[in-house]
Amino acid sequence: MNLLQAPSCSPLPTSTIPSHGACAVASKIPFLPPLRSHFTDFRIHRRFLPLIVARVAPVGVGTSIMSKDMAKKDVLTALSQIIDPDFGTDIVSCGFVKDLEVDEALEEVSFRLELTTPACPIKDMFEEKANEVVTALHWVKKVNVTMSAQPAKPIFAGELPKGLQKISNIVAVSSCKGGVGKSTVAVNLAYTLAGMGARVGIFDADVYGPSLPTMVSPENRLLEMNPETRTILPTEYLGVKLVSFGFAGQGRAIMRGPMVSGVINQLLTTAEWGELDYLVVDMPPGTGDIQLTLCQVAPLTAAVIVTTPQKLAFIDVAKGVRMFSKLKVPCIAVVENMCYFDADGNRYYPFGEGSGSQVVQQFGIPHLFDLPIRPTLSASGDSGTPEVVADPQGEVAKTFQNLGVCVVQQCAKIRQQVSTAVSYDKSIKAIKVKLPDADEEFLLHPATVRRNDRSAQSVDEWTGEQKIQYGDIPEDIEPEEIRPMGNYAVSITWPDGFSQIAPYDQLETLERLVDIPRPTPVDANAS
């Protein structure tokens, strides 16, 4: 069988590839030149290989099955050279490689790469590198790679309204101040994501002054209701689903806050959004009832903050950032609108500089994007055609393309961190916790977590008396299932049927396990 193995090679040089998101290839991965040049005589002797294998293999051993298993292992080893830079691990460990098949002659390989989102900014390069590393295997004659994306679904363990059950990411675009271009950013971001291949919807959450009917021009400008399900049918424009109070035939609302919260809740949760990769929520100004209702009803994945260079805008934006921080919604980017304009070969900043940078520095938001004062950007918002649609190759469209890549990348990173933040290691009988954006991993005893439940079923809400005593929880209790609850907690199901909500903040305060004995690996040579 050693005749079939490629000779070992010295380390090969690397090639640099730009990193652009959760589905991106690592910034440096080994570049493998075709190995056929090392096997100048291999084609001559290919027809004799079955005879060689047959003579070497013992009688009764399924040589074709063994060879296929070895071939699949070789393919997976080759694909593991491709690293996802955001997850920090290879695509095989991430579970991206699906439906791997090798034909009987061990000459053709087929597999599917299931990405986290169809809006992967360099999915073509991803496919190209997968082809390259597998083709470099000396026995591979043909490679068939198909690309797909994971089904749209939220990372949330609780009972979601039916309309939100098939939405992967909900991104809030917020400024907490009117007139800074928040709706412009929300609409252009949504159509940028749609142009990248994602299924997208826009929810205009401003009942008092809805902007969406002005900024887009759907053929059907009235929302309809499904008479059987009593759900709202979104209207569409250029493939993006739209819901706004302005499409309800009511114009702008004149009503009190509690009524507005009810309208917002109804529009958002009873709409038939279907499967969406991204739902962009155009948040209304302020930090009151409406904003809190949105953050509590919808499991927001992340928020994009919009500001302008003025100090007054920064003050209001800071309130919004603090609100999202309190609600455990990560702010992933700041867009500073109306920053500058170019004239006579010079760049001018009429409102000063530094508001966006101040937000980034003060609150640790990782990305900042600048938008110019551009008449066409304002005009496109009034004409009903988003700027990124009207001028897809323009400077503004390029900025939104970079923002779209950032949103795709950060949302995928957040989902990965949240999905693996808390897990149960059965081998050491401990709950492993590695919270998002934390470097430290720590262990908790399952019984400790169960005994520290603070819900009304465990603690009297009026007296604070502990209903469940220490001895009521067996020391050897183990969780049956752990699922994330948005960005702030996990839901733990226990053998007695109890479902516990464990916030990250609480888990950090519990007594931790140290010096856990690791299971001794089984000696493969032991009899």
Side-chain angles (χ1 to χ4, degrees):
M1 291 298 254
N2 291 333
L3 295 174
L4 300 179
Q5 303 300 316
S8 60
C9 300
S10 59
L12 297 171
T14 59
S15 61
T16 302
I17 295 177
S19 172
H20 291 295
C23 303
V25 187
S27 57
K28 287 187 176 182
I29 65 173
F31 173 74
L32 300 177
L35 297 183
R36 298 186 188 276
S37 59
H38 298 289
F39 295 85
T40 54
D41 297 329
F42 183 74
R43 297 189 189 91
I44 299 175
H45 299 294
R46 179 184 293 274
R47 58 193 178 91
F48 296 112
L49 286 179
L51 298 176
I52 297 173
V53 173
R55 291 174 181 174
V56 173
V59 177
V61 177
T63 57
S64 62
I65 296 177
M66 291 180 62
S67 298
K68 183 175 290 189
D69 290 341
M70 291 172 61
K72 287 187 176 182
K73 184 177 180 181
D74 285 349
V75 172
L76 293 176
T77 300
L79 291 172
S80 66
Q81 297 173 88
I82 305 175
I83 308 296
D84 188 303
D86 298 308
F87 300 162
T89 187
D90 62 90
I91 64 172
V92 177
S93 300
C94 287
F96 293 168
V97 182
K98 306 288 186 181
D99 305 330
L100 175 59
E101 293 293 340
V102 178
D103 73 355
E104 292 296 330
L106 300 181
E107 293 181 349
E108 183 173 346
V109 177
S110 302
F111 57 91
R112 176 169 56 91
L113 294 183
E114 185 182 71
L115 309 182
T116 57
T117 170
C120 175
I122 56 170
K123 50 179 174 272
D124 293 338
M125 188 180 295
F126 214 175
E127 181 179 0
E128 178 183 343
K129 293 305 297 183
N131 260 301
E132 180 181 327
V133 296
V134 176
T135 303
L137 297 172
H138 67 273
W139 50 266
V140 174
K141 184 177 180 181
K142 184 179 180 181
V143 179
N144 299 314
V145 184
T146 56
M147 308 297 290
S148 66
Q150 295 175 2
K153 60 180 179 179
I155 300 186
F156 193 75
E159 289 297 326
L160 287 174
K162 187 175 181 180
L164 304 180
Q165 291 178 0
K166 295 182 180 180
I167 302 175
S168 292
N169 303 281
I170 302 180
V171 180
V173 178
S174 173
S175 66
C176 293
K177 182 174 181 60
V180 299
K182 168 182 50 58
S183 296
T184 299
V185 171
V187 170
N188 281 279
L189 171 61
Y191 280 92
T192 298
L193 293 171
M196 296 169 66
R199 296 163 294 184
V200 183
I202 306 175
F203 178 64
D204 183 358
D206 194 345
V207 170
Y208 293 119
S211 303
L212 202 56
T214 303
M215 303 192 71
V216 295
S217 305
E219 183 176 344
N220 182 9
R221 299 186 64 83
L222 285 177
L223 296 174
E224 298 179 0
M225 178 170 284
N226 187 326
E228 296 181 0
T229 61
R230 307 293 294 175
T231 54
I232 296 171
L233 302 175
T235 187
E236 288 192 22
Y237 178 62
L238 301 178
V240 174
K241 295 184 178 181
L242 313 168
V243 171
S244 170
F245 187 75
F247 292 135
Q250 302 291 326
R252 287 165 168 76
I254 302 175
M255 60 180 73
R256 295 187 181 275
M259 293 179 64
V260 173
S261 297
V263 169
I264 289 292
N265 193 347
Q266 182 182 12
L267 287 173
L268 176 63
T269 60
T270 63
E272 292 186 12
W273 292 108
E275 289 196 9
L276 293 182
D277 300 298
Y278 302 93
L279 175 62
V280 178
V281 179
D282 182 6
M283 300 280 285
T287 54
D289 289 343
I290 301 173
Q291 290 76 17
L292 293 175
T293 297
L294 282 167
C295 292
Q296 291 168 352
V297 170
L300 298 180
T301 307
V304 173
I305 306 300
V306 183
T307 185
T308 52
Q310 296 93 332
K311 181 179 180 181
L312 186 59
F314 169 77
I315 293 173
D316 287 342
V317 164
K319 296 177 185 177
V321 175
R322 293 190 184 99
M323 176 188 72
F324 286 121
S325 176
K326 190 74 174 177
L327 297 171
K328 306 299 182 185
V329 177
C331 295
I332 58 176
V334 173
V335 178
E336 189 172 8
N337 194 21
M338 296 181 279
C339 284
Y340 61 87
F341 67 90
D342 296 326
D344 302 326
N346 297 313
R347 178 159 291 185
Y348 300 93
Y349 295 85
F351 304 118
E353 300 179 63
S355 173
S357 300
Q358 191 175 355
V359 176
V360 169
Q361 293 170 7
Q362 182 167 332
F363 298 102
I365 301 174
H367 302 282
L368 173 64
F369 301 90
D370 296 335
L371 286 174
I373 300 174
R374 187 66 58 82
T376 57
L377 182 57
S378 176
S380 65
D382 295 337
S383 67
T385 304
E387 174 73 359
V388 297
V389 176
D391 186 13
Q393 302 301 322
E395 180 184 358
V396 170
K398 291 178 181 178
T399 300
F400 276 107
Q401 182 72 23
N402 293 333
L403 175 61
V405 168
C406 171
V407 169
V408 170
Q409 175 186 15
Q410 294 298 316
C411 285
K413 183 177 180 181
I414 290 168
R415 288 175 64 87
Q416 175 70 9
Q417 290 177 336
V418 168
S419 64
T420 59
V422 183
S423 60
Y424 181 63
D425 191 333
K426 197 171 182 66
S427 63
I428 58 175
K429 299 186 182 303
I431 294 177
K432 299 169 66 174
V433 182
K434 189 177 188 301
L435 301 181
D437 297 325
D439 297 327
E440 178 191 15
E441 180 181 89
F442 57 90
L443 303 176
L444 299 174
H445 195 291
T448 300
V449 176
R450 178 67 177 84
R451 288 165 181 154
N452 281 275
D453 175 60
R454 305 303 299 170
S455 69
Q457 298 183 58
S458 302
V459 180
D460 189 286
E461 294 183 88
W462 298 103
T463 65
E465 179 184 356
Q466 190 77 28
K467 295 181 180 179
I468 297 181
Q469 302 303 315
Y470 187 94
D472 294 338
I473 306 300
E475 195 68 22
D476 60 351
I477 192 171
E478 297 184 59
E480 290 187 342
E481 185 180 20
I482 299 179
R483 296 182 295 168
M485 289 278 294
N487 299 321
Y488 70 96
V490 290
S491 172
I492 306 176
T493 303
W494 299 98
D496 58 1
F498 180 72
S499 182
Q500 176 182 356
I501 305 300
Y504 293 157
D505 292 344
Q506 182 190 14
L507 294 178
E508 288 186 289
T509 64
L510 300 182
E511 181 182 0
R512 303 180 182 185
L513 291 173
V514 293
D515 299 328
I516 301 297
R518 299 286 177 176
T520 304
V522 178
D523 187 355
N525 297 321
S527 58

